[in-house]
Amino acid sequence: MDEWIEEDLNLLADRATEKAPRVFDQRMLREPIRLLEPRHPLSLPPTASVRDAIGVMREHRIGCVLVVEAGVLVGIITERDLLLKLDRAEGDGPIAALMTREPEVLTPDDPIVYALNKMSVGGFRHVPLVDAERRPVGIVSVKDIIDYIVDFFATDVLTVPPDPARGEAWRGRDGG
């Protein structure tokens, strides 16, 4: 067989084995939250101090800590709570004074669109995930959802030049 024909057949075979591109559509928003691989939440008891909550957030570089009593979610304390309510409690005071009580929750099997709805309508950046007994099993953040969406547009998002002032000028250039 001619060498060029064999090369063309190999190229076609390679293309046939490539994955079809993922398409972002309404079905993708109806996928369960567990596909986002939510992190296991960090938690403290309601008697923990505000200083303890701040320490956990700093150490783990996270924006919230769940407040759990007897294994059940009773509240959430977020960076926003600390910024807006800290003057109400002392640093050594209990986080119960600052936490949002009985936060809205979802389960890992709920659709991603439910998390988006709660975040958009409620202005939340984090939504706790619980089981049927309201025990924390995870937490989903705005960043988790953004990362999920970026996966669908990776070449468009991750190859943008670092300087937005350049606009579309970068598209016309080939090479370095």
Side-chain angles (χ1 to χ4, degrees), residues 10 20 23 30 36 70 84 102 107 136 140 147 152 161 170 176:
N10 287 337
V23 177
R30 294 194 179 356
L36 301 176
L84 299 177
E102 297 186 26
T107 71
V140 64
D147 288 346
F152 290 93
W170 67 277

Side-chain angles (χ1 to χ4, degrees), residues 79-121:
E79 293 169 319
R80 191 177 290 163
D81 291 328
L82 295 171
L83 287 170
L84 299 177
K85 303 174 187 174
L86 191 55
D87 59 339
R88 293 187 204 166
E90 295 181 27
D92 292 329
I95 57 176
L98 300 181
M99 73 180 186
T100 300
R101 296 179 186 282
E102 297 186 26
E104 294 197 36
V105 298
L106 292 170
T107 71
D109 293 321
D110 286 327
I112 293 168
V113 72
Y114 282 32
L116 276 170
N117 175 273
K118 286 193 182 294
M119 291 172 175
S120 178
V121 173

